[in-house]
Amino acid sequence: MTISTVSALVDALGNNSSRLVIDKASLANAVAGQFFSLWTAGGVPGAGSAPGAAAVPTSATTGAMGFTNQTSPVTSYIATTLAESLYRTRFQTSTTAGNASGVRDAVNTHWRGNAAGRGGFMCHFRICTGSIALAGAQVMVGLASGTAALAGEPSSSVNDFMGICKDAADTNLFFSRRAGAGAASKVDLTIAYAANAVLDLWLFSRPNGSDIGVRVARQNFDGTITVLLDTTYNTSIPANTQLLGRHCQARNGTTAAAANVEMVRIYSESDL
């Protein structure tokens, strides 16, 4: 409130519920040099009593200060999931169907290599599944030959894609791989698509490599790691001369609602 007169100041001091006064009486058993709760002591605010069962305190609670109760949305600053405790960048679509959001390379630089000493890479993605987990969302995190925004189902519309994938109808997350525009091979990671999951994806190729090493793991809030996939593939992978770029994208598909994905880090190394 704006205070511009002496009368307004007096009114605010006397009646504003945001003004908190503490004027409590001492307890008979208080001893100097020790801490004591004054919750049950008389004064201002009045003597409080412990609720008989779990309760959410408000200004009506016996012994409470006369503050203005918080209204929804109530904000908590204590992380209840690992994702909420991590520094991350959120990419969120609009609520218009067919909208995509994310980050992707403008220039492709990763490749397997087609002769001794050529190519090779190690790429690590750490992502969070986001705060929404839209049922019809499409998600792609990994490498692909295209540099455009996600415009369809990741497994079937993105050439040379290798990575974590969710098509619109999927309820679980998958690892998908595809050579060019060929048929996609999808492996169920046996983890439901839900909000605030923290996932690591590693993709590796030796210089002039004939296969791709893949590891997908979930980071848990208790410090443990759940390995979802740890293997190598030598079929349905991009050609050894194909340059690939990094993607971390989400799309809302045909659903007119927001979808999102969160990036914690993306890190790459070449052999040289």
Side-chain angles (χ1 to χ4, degrees), residues 184-199:
S185 296
K186 293 176 64 177
V187 176
D188 193 340
L189 295 175
T190 65
I191 176 175
Y193 177 59
N196 295 319
V198 180
L199 300 173

Side-chain angles (χ1 to χ4, degrees), residues 14 24 29 48 95 137 146 188 194 211 223 241 249-250 261:
K24 303 284 279 188
N29 62 343
T95 56
D188 193 340
D211 54 26
T241 56
Q249 298 194 63
V261 65

Side-chain angles (χ1 to χ4, degrees), residues 217-265:
R218 177 174 184 165
Q219 298 287 341
N220 303 311
F221 206 7
D222 61 1
T224 62
I225 298 174
T226 303
V227 177
L228 305 173
L229 183 67
D230 191 355
T231 189
T232 59
Y233 294 108
N234 57 19
T235 61
S236 297
I237 59 176
N240 59 0
T241 56
Q242 180 64 60
L243 291 173
L244 307 169
R246 298 164 295 183
H247 293 255
C248 178
Q249 298 194 63
R251 184 172 182 268
N252 58 9
T254 59
T255 306
N260 61 25
V261 65
E262 296 168 343
M263 179 187 70
V264 179
R265 70 172 67 99

Side-chain angles (χ1 to χ4, degrees), residues 120-237:
F121 59 84
M122 188 284 291
C123 193
H124 173 224
F125 299 78
R126 175 167 290 172
I127 62 103
C128 306
T129 51
S131 61
I132 298 175
L134 180 69
Q138 299 158 328
V139 179
M140 64 174 291
V141 177
L143 298 175
S145 58
T147 58
L150 182 60
E153 300 284 38
S155 68
S156 58
S157 70
V158 181
N159 292 351
D160 298 296
F161 175 56
M162 300 185 296
I164 296 171
C165 161
K166 180 196 176 296
D167 291 330
D170 293 338
T171 56
N172 280 3
L173 293 172
F174 288 77
F175 180 83
S176 181
R177 66 189 200 277
R178 189 182 190 203
S185 296
K186 293 176 64 177
V187 176
D188 193 340
L189 295 175
T190 65
I191 176 175
Y193 177 59
N196 295 319
V198 180
L199 300 173
D200 282 315
L201 166 66
W202 290 267
L203 297 170
F204 170 79
S205 173
R206 296 181 300 276
N208 194 30
S210 59
D211 54 26
I212 298 289
V214 178
R215 181 180 170 92
V216 182
R218 177 174 184 165
Q219 298 287 341
N220 303 311
F221 206 7
D222 61 1
T224 62
I225 298 174
T226 303
V227 177
L228 305 173
L229 183 67
D230 191 355
T231 189
T232 59
Y233 294 108
N234 57 19
T235 61
S236 297
I237 59 176

Side-chain angles (χ1 to χ4, degrees), residues 33-57:
Q34 298 185 22
F35 290 102
F36 288 85
S37 171
L38 295 179
W39 176 249
T40 59
V44 180
S49 60
V56 177

